[in-house]
Amino acid sequence: MAKWTTDDIPDLTGTRAVVTGANSGLGLRTALELARHGATVVLACRSADRGRAALDRVRAAVPGCDVALGSLDLADLASVRAFAEEQGTYGLDLLINNAGVMALPRRTTADGFELQFGTNHLGHFALTGLLLPALLDRPGARVVTVTSMMHWLGRIDFDDLDGERRYGKWTAYCGSKLANLVFAKELDRRAGGRLVSVAAHPGYAATNLQQAGPRMAGSRIGEVVQGLGNRLFAQSDAAGAQPTLYAATTSDVRGGQCYGPRGPGQSRGAPRRVPTLRGAEDPGLGRRLWEVSEERTGVTYDALPRPA
């Protein structure tokens, strides 16, 4: 489907979706298209003000849509638990694990984890596990976890997950996005067909992520350079959201796969199934990441059988 566009999304009436990081960029575009095609959508946002602005934007674009705002800070497990307790009382057809941070100076989450690994992976691991009963309540439910083409450069350093001995902002980012991919594949293995877990990535898409790191580091030059790169080379956030929407809604999607742009270097273009780092397929790596994630978050997926 080389020319797949959001016009090919089927009617989603009766589908309930949660989109993390829906206040801007890829998350907002994803939520908007799901709502446009009839889904009930929860915008899971950290900032109440930006969340309300996004809610207003979706309602203005899709009059009469069924959207709501939820408070979720993936860098705080107490917030993750509170959100899941509120939203887990309803069946859930789609969980879009989209929110993330990129290439930041070293910071820690409320629970003491390195911020990128803690937000991008551990927060989503905990959220998915806590919402698992709601997902299993809906036949055919899907979990789409957003990774990055930068996962190809990633390595998960289990001996220094919090970057206490050595920290590189891009090293930490790439490792966290590899963790997203490994998690998506391991979840699908463990689910055994009870739900579909896939990964997606946007290629090089213009969002506020690229400038957040330099801004946090106080680098005006870096912020300008990243903004210029977005304008000159990146595809739009609407185009970047297409692989996620494809993975969430298309009938030929298969569990454990990754979907991204079909263009050069997977950087831009229409969505399709794309190859990923071979090591991400390793069940041993998936099992180790899963066990560490359970230990760190305290969240266990009791409804799924543990591998032998």
Side-chain angles (χ1 to χ4, degrees):
M1 298 180 67
K3 296 183 179 180
W4 188 94
T5 72
T6 54
D7 291 337
D8 295 305
I9 296 174
D11 179 22
L12 299 176
T13 301
T15 298
R16 184 167 179 272
V18 167
V19 182
T20 70
N23 60 282
S24 65
L26 304 175
L28 177 56
R29 291 291 185 177
T30 299
L32 179 61
E33 290 300 333
L34 293 176
R36 196 189 306 279
H37 289 83
T40 296
V41 184
V42 178
L43 313 181
C45 303
R46 180 176 60 85
S47 166
D49 289 341
R50 291 195 292 270
R52 282 190 292 267
L55 184 67
D56 290 343
R57 183 172 172 182
V58 174
R59 286 175 171 169
V62 189
C65 65
D66 186 2
V67 294
L69 181 62
S71 176
L72 173 66
D73 183 354
L74 289 162
D76 185 344
L77 291 178
S79 174
V80 174
R81 289 183 180 278
F83 177 87
E85 183 175 349
E86 176 183 339
Q87 298 297 328
T89 57
Y90 312 95
L92 185 60
D93 300 279
L94 282 175
L95 174 58
I96 311 295
N97 289 327
N98 162 81
V101 293
M102 183 174 76
L104 305 179
R106 188 180 182 278
R107 300 287 190 276
T108 56
T109 70
D111 304 281
F113 310 133
E114 186 278 313
L115 186 60
Q116 296 191 78
F117 187 76
T119 301
N120 298 353
H121 169 62
L122 291 175
H124 281 126
F125 178 90
L127 178 66
T128 306
L130 292 167
L131 290 176
L132 186 62
L135 288 160
L136 295 178
D137 187 57
R138 295 289 182 92
R142 293 189 194 184
V143 178
V144 181
T145 300
V146 178
T147 181
S148 166
M149 61 184 183
M150 297 293 286
H151 85 270
W152 287 91
L153 303 178
R155 175 177 173 269
I156 303 173
D157 185 353
F158 289 101
D159 294 324
D160 192 23
L161 286 174
D162 294 318
E164 294 175 321
R165 290 184 295 195
R166 182 166 51 187
Y167 180 78
K169 62 183 181 180
W170 283 107
T171 301
Y173 176 71
C174 294
S176 73
K177 300 318 283 184
L178 176 58
N180 286 148
L181 179 61
V182 173
F183 165 65
K185 292 177 178 293
E186 181 68 9
L187 175 58
D188 196 73
R189 276 192 290 267
R190 292 181 180 235
R194 297 178 65 189
L195 58 77
V196 174
S197 172
V198 296
H201 80 77
Y204 182 11
T207 71
N208 60 11
L209 279 183
Q210 287 89 349
Q211 292 171 285
R215 188 180 302 121
M216 184 178 288
S219 173
R220 178 59 182 162
I221 293 176
E223 189 176 348
V224 170
V225 168
Q226 290 287 1
L228 183 62
N230 279 356
R231 287 193 295 273
L232 292 178
F233 304 112
Q235 62 179 353
S236 68
D237 55 2
Q242 286 197 5
T244 297
L245 290 161
Y246 184 98
T249 66
T250 305
S251 61
D252 65 352
V253 164
R254 297 294 176 264
Q257 301 299 321
C258 184
Y259 298 84
R262 65 175 58 240
Q266 301 180 20
S267 63
R268 62 193 307 118
R272 68 163 185 174
R273 183 165 62 87
V274 294
T276 57
L277 184 69
R278 180 174 297 180
E281 305 280 351
D282 180 8
L285 176 60
R287 184 180 300 109
R288 187 176 184 187
L289 178 64
W290 194 278
E291 291 171 351
V292 166
S293 302
E294 286 187 332
E295 178 183 349
R296 290 196 145 211
T297 65
V299 175
T300 57
Y301 288 53
D302 295 331
L304 300 182
R306 292 181 177 271

